Amino acid sequence: MGSPKKPQLRSQSWFGREGKQGFYYRSWLKSAGNPHDMFDGRPVIGICNTWSELTPCNGHFRELAEFVKRGVYEAGGFPLEFPVMSLGETQVRPTAMLFRNLVSMDVEESIRANPIDGVVLLMGCDKTTPALLMGAASVDLPSIGLSGGPSLSGNWRGKPIGSGTGVIHMSEMVRAGTLTQEEFIEAEACMQRSTGSCMTMGTASTMASMVEALGMSLPENAAIPAVDSRRSRLAQLTGRRIVEMVHEDLRMSKVLTRSAFENAIKTNAAIGGSTNAVIHLLALAGRIGVPLDLDDWDQLGSKLPCLLNLKPSGQFLMEDFFYAGGLPALLREIAGHLHLDCLTVNGRTLGDNIADAPCWDHDVIRPLADPIRVEAGIAVLRGNLSPDGAVIKPSAASPALLRHRGPAVVFENIEDFKARIDDEALEIDENSIMVLKNCGPRGYPGMAEVGNMPLPPKLLRKGITDMVRISDARMSGTAYGTVVLHTSPEAAAGGNLALVRDGDIIELDVPGRRLHLEVSDDELAVRRAQWTPPPAPERGWAKLYIDHVQQAHLGADLDILVGGSGADVPRDSH
Ligand code: FES
């Protein structure tokens, strides 16, 4: 008896064909100069690329893809690069999040419809990472993530400035009159100094860390700067590895287990990661069929310390994190909290990958015994304002405000907020609670990052730097403050948030995990009878989105996209 026959690769359902069908499938690809032996049964590797000039964070992805291809060829594979819709966080209106699920559909259908055996996911700017992971998970082929890496550290007049965090800080200074408009504009060119994603622990760096903590990338993926030659080297090694993964049939579902998600949640606490990770990981878990809910974030992560001294929670930037040892060094510090037996895409366990990871700078990566925050994970708040949950990142909040009771100052939508916040006559003081409605998945639509409302100038001038803010929106991972987000159900879906009025007393109790509107049920019923939902889009993607998007506590995926359809080969096209 001979050794068992290897299963035929799905690409051979295209390229291994005889007659007219095989001719069609091979001939057009030969027009790119591919010789006949490229179709001989070797793994075909799709390189899913989110390059775009409109997404400067991913502006180096064409070069990165070339290094991936080198690796694929070296390992005996056949690389074929393909584009999907790219989402530049800073450019796309009304919000890139409106299109995360659309991109995931693009990714899923592009993979399944084509002669692909394994996939390298090139992702960077915020939404490109969850979109590609979600789409690939619904196909469940061997897949490996390659992040674009953070941009170089921002530097203005000899001082470090971090993506997003620096903008928020400096714009408050302009509004308070302590920074001129000319200085503000000068700083624009000093912040993003290279391609690559935001170099604070914003959503992009958080999601790159999630990719590595989940085991979906080679070690060190999260922190190598975008323009460091070691990022190119990682790309080449990623190309080699995906070919082996196809031979091993190492599919996403073997890596993305419940234990891997638990590791990611704990890692998010230890890095002071973005609240956006909550929504993205819930959606990803839904795609791969892993049970995960909002309360898992609180139960698994909220008591863990933040060890990473990075803006916005701390002092340093992603480049410093890489020089200090990167994510492997941090994971080694929290190894006692992790499932070390989780399989990762390099075929080794997480424990194997981090066993010898050195830390070169304990100011940046603090020891477990000396964290920058003691309890740093995501806290989930419930009460009559958020029966399905709301989240807050205590590590980015003011400790004195974590228990607070105050009168609401209500903004019906973001335009209302922008129109009135600078008005000196606005009745608001530092004890007020700012409430913003209609910015959730259906309300915006797309759940924009507007939850960290800027403070009124008259309070900034008084030296007030933080206030309690509540909304159904998200917040940029680069932002900070005592900001309650993702209130569910959202206002536009008829949640009690829609019924809050100026002067209503709200109680926030983060240690008690409570968010309560002190208005009687009878009065709320009267207000509800008077409430009408905001107008909704009537055509195109926005209409499809509104009709199917789930609430934030479920990950804001479309209900029709939860789960997957696998990698079965579709019927012939001709
Ligand atoms: Fe692209 Fe921040 S704007 S990563």
Coordinates of all heavy atoms in Angstrom, one line a residue, residues 57 89-90 125-126 197-198 204, ligand 1:
C57 N -2.6 54.8 5.0 CA -2.1 53.9 6.0 C -1.6 52.6 5.3 O -0.7 51.9 5.8 CB -3.1 53.6 7.1 SG -3.8 55.1 7.8
E89 N -9.7 55.2 7.0 CA -10.5 55.7 8.1 C -10.7 57.2 8.2 O -11.7 57.7 8.6 CB -9.7 55.3 9.4 CG -10.5 55.4 10.7 CD -11.7 54.5 10.7 OE1 -11.7 53.4 10.1 OE2 -12.7 54.8 11.4
T90 N -9.7 58.0 7.7 CA -9.7 59.4 7.8 C -10.5 60.0 6.6 O -10.8 61.2 6.7 CB -8.3 60.0 7.9 OG1 -7.6 59.6 6.7 CG2 -7.6 59.7 9.1
C125 N -5.2 49.8 8.0 CA -6.1 50.9 8.5 C -7.4 50.2 9.1 O -7.9 49.2 8.6 CB -6.5 51.8 7.4 SG -7.1 53.4 8.0
D126 N -7.9 50.8 10.2 CA -8.8 50.2 11.1 C -9.7 49.1 10.6 O -9.6 48.0 11.0 CB -9.7 51.3 11.7 CG -8.9 52.3 12.5 OD1 -7.7 52.4 12.4 OD2 -9.6 53.1 13.3
S197 N -0.1 52.5 9.7 CA -1.3 52.9 10.4 C -0.9 53.8 11.6 O 0.2 54.0 11.9 CB -2.0 51.6 10.9 OG -1.1 50.7 11.5
C198 N -2.0 54.3 12.2 CA -1.8 55.2 13.4 C -0.8 54.5 14.4 O -1.0 53.4 14.7 CB -3.1 55.5 14.1 SG -4.2 56.5 13.0
A204 N -6.2 50.5 14.7 CA -5.4 49.7 13.8 C -4.3 48.9 14.6 O -4.2 47.7 14.3 CB -4.7 50.6 12.8
Ligands
FES1 FE1 -5.6 54.6 9.2 FE2 -5.6 55.4 11.8 S1 -6.3 56.4 10.1 S2 -4.9 53.5 10.9

